[in-house]
Amino acid sequence: MNYASVIVTYNRKKYLLKALESILNQEEPPTRVIIVDNASTDGTDELMSSNYKNNPIVKYHRLKTNGGGAMGFYQGLKLVVKEDVDWISVADDDAFYDRSFFKVMDEATGKHPEIKAFTGTVYHGDNEIETLHRRWITNWHLMTEKEVPVSEYDHNYLFDQFTFVGVVLKKELVQQIGFPRKEFFIWYDDSEYSIRVRKQTEIMNIINAKIYHQNVVSNGEWHWTPTWKEYYGIRNRIQIIKKYASPRILGYVYLVYLYVRKMVANTVKGERKGYRKFMYQVINDGFHDGLHNQLGKNDKYLPGMKIKRDNED
């Protein structure tokens, strides 16, 4: 399999080292690995210089500022299409490929030459499948979605939306549809991109191509905590609905429903206690900016921001 890999990283050099080695040690090794560094401040540049400076396979590209994961994937795919390869893989720095991943992918691409997009199965630390990375679109008029359940993982299956964890794309497909929307900053850039992919080709998940995700997200019980990323999730999802919902008027009606539902949920859910004021602001800002196409990095919602508890409860 003639392929190149893209890894986007930010301040996780220990993860990056493991992710990179998981690609370099593949049974079917890559032609090129492109590392896009979102201006890390943890010594990632020194690590790359000391460990991989003389490695002809690894190319390290450091951005001047942190443009978010969306900018990282935009730059990574823009660089990798210049390589003399047939396939491109994409993942974050906390995703570690099983040693046979690309060998299994090679077999799958050979069996299904009509398909131009494949993904592997994502596991977290205790060997459970993370279902959120592969989703079906349940209503193409409203762009609603649901996760592919674990019960489907006894066979290879077709689906509609992926995250950028273990994605393998035909290079000609990337050249055809372009690059991720860098102005999304973070969250839903992969969802929007996979919609463009899906309009051109089926997408198949290969169950025996395994990739392990360090950023553990359990499929069972979980405890919600607020994060600055919520704003980008709301804003960017609205952008997707605005662009792809059909007819357009139906999309706007659904957005009204979505806004009311989120505000009501924030009012009644016990888990929001102490953070309701913050989340009211997030919802209002996200909807306003998404509807008015105010994209890019928002200085009100940045990595590392401290979220102040309120006393309204």
Side-chain angles (χ1 to χ4, degrees):
M1 187 177 197
N2 181 20
Y3 71 96
S5 294
V6 172
I7 303 176
V8 175
T9 189
Y10 176 68
N11 278 354
R12 294 194 291 201
K13 63 180 181 180
K14 290 184 179 179
Y15 287 173
L16 173 62
L17 184 62
K18 185 175 179 180
L20 178 52
E21 288 298 320
S22 77
I23 296 177
L24 295 177
N25 292 317
Q26 285 290 306
E27 292 179 9
E28 290 199 12
T31 298
R32 184 78 66 200
V33 181
I34 293 178
I35 311 295
V36 179
D37 180 1
N38 256 317
S40 295
T41 58
D42 66 344
T44 293
D45 51 345
E46 289 89 349
L47 170 70
M48 296 302 300
S49 179
S50 61
N51 288 30
Y52 299 100
K53 184 177 181 180
N54 298 317
N55 189 320
I57 294 177
V58 179
K59 281 187 176 180
Y60 174 64
H61 182 75
R62 178 180 170 83
L63 302 180
K64 294 181 179 179
T65 60
N66 180 11
M71 175 64 81
F73 288 115
Y74 169 87
Q75 293 289 354
L77 287 174
K78 191 174 181 180
L79 290 168
V80 79
V81 294
K82 299 176 183 177
E83 300 293 332
D84 185 18
V85 295
D86 299 318
W87 294 91
I88 297 167
S89 76
V90 183
D92 278 312
D93 54 9
D94 60 355
F96 316 132
Y97 292 90
D98 183 84
R99 193 165 183 269
S100 65
F101 183 93
F102 289 98
K103 181 179 180 181
V104 174
M105 277 293 174
D106 190 22
E107 295 171 355
T109 59
K111 290 180 180 178
H112 303 280
E114 76 284 1
I115 297 178
K116 299 179 181 179
F118 296 85
T119 62
T121 299
V122 184
Y123 292 83
H124 60 60
D126 56 4
N127 215 33
E128 281 191 35
I129 294 172
E130 285 186 9
T131 56
L132 65 90
H133 299 280
R134 314 292 178 236
R135 302 183 301 278
W136 287 316
I137 293 179
T138 55
N139 187 321
W140 283 89
H141 295 291
L142 300 177
M143 302 312 298
T144 55
E145 61 190 46
K146 72 174 183 179
E147 297 174 9
V148 178
V150 172
S151 59
E152 291 292 316
Y153 283 81
D154 61 354
H155 60 278
N156 298 336
Y157 62 81
L158 301 175
F159 68 105
D160 303 309
Q161 284 189 310
F162 51 68
T163 64
F164 285 142
V165 180
V167 180
V168 179
L169 305 170
K170 194 79 169 179
K171 187 178 83 169
E172 66 185 43
L173 174 65
V174 176
Q175 292 171 319
Q176 179 182 4
I177 68 174
F179 310 120
R181 293 185 64 178
K182 58 185 177 181
E183 66 272 19
F184 271 27
F185 191 70
I186 197 168
W187 280 14
Y188 277 95
D189 52 312
D190 42 18
S191 295
E192 192 279 333
Y193 197 70
S194 59
I195 293 171
R196 281 188 270 157
V197 168
R198 182 65 185 86
K199 287 180 177 292
Q200 301 300 324
T201 178
E202 292 182 318
I203 308 171
M204 178 176 286
N205 189 74
I206 307 302
I207 59 169
N208 291 326
K210 299 179 180 181
I211 187 166
Y212 299 91
H213 195 216
Q214 185 65 35
N215 186 14
V216 175
V217 180
S218 175
N219 299 317
E221 293 184 3
W222 62 284
H223 177 69
W224 178 87
T225 54
T227 170
W228 58 274
K229 296 179 182 179
E230 302 284 349
Y231 159 79
Y232 296 98
I234 292 171
R235 185 195 71 181
N236 296 340
R237 185 183 176 196
I238 289 168
Q239 281 284 298
I240 290 174
I241 294 170
K242 280 184 61 180
K243 181 174 181 178
Y244 294 106
S246 177
R248 180 169 294 184
I249 186 63
L250 185 62
Y252 279 102
V253 170
Y254 179 65
L255 285 174
V256 172
Y257 160 77
L258 198 61
Y259 176 81
V260 173
R261 190 179 74 178
K262 284 185 175 294
M263 295 298 272
V264 170
N266 192 55
T267 302
V268 302
K269 285 188 175 181
E271 66 190 18
R272 302 295 173 92
K273 184 177 180 179
Y275 297 104
R276 298 190 204 280
K277 289 182 181 179
F278 171 75
M279 285 305 300
Y280 284 136
Q281 189 65 54
V282 166
I283 294 167
N284 281 321
D285 288 346
F287 269 83
H288 177 275
D289 293 353
L291 288 170
H292 291 85
N293 302 322
Q294 296 178 7
L295 306 179
K297 179 169 64 176
N298 187 324
D299 289 339
K300 289 174 62 177
Y301 303 101
L302 296 175
M305 72 172 290
K306 294 182 179 180
I307 300 173
K308 185 179 180 181
R309 289 183 63 93
D310 55 63
N311 300 312
E312 102 285 358
D313 294 298

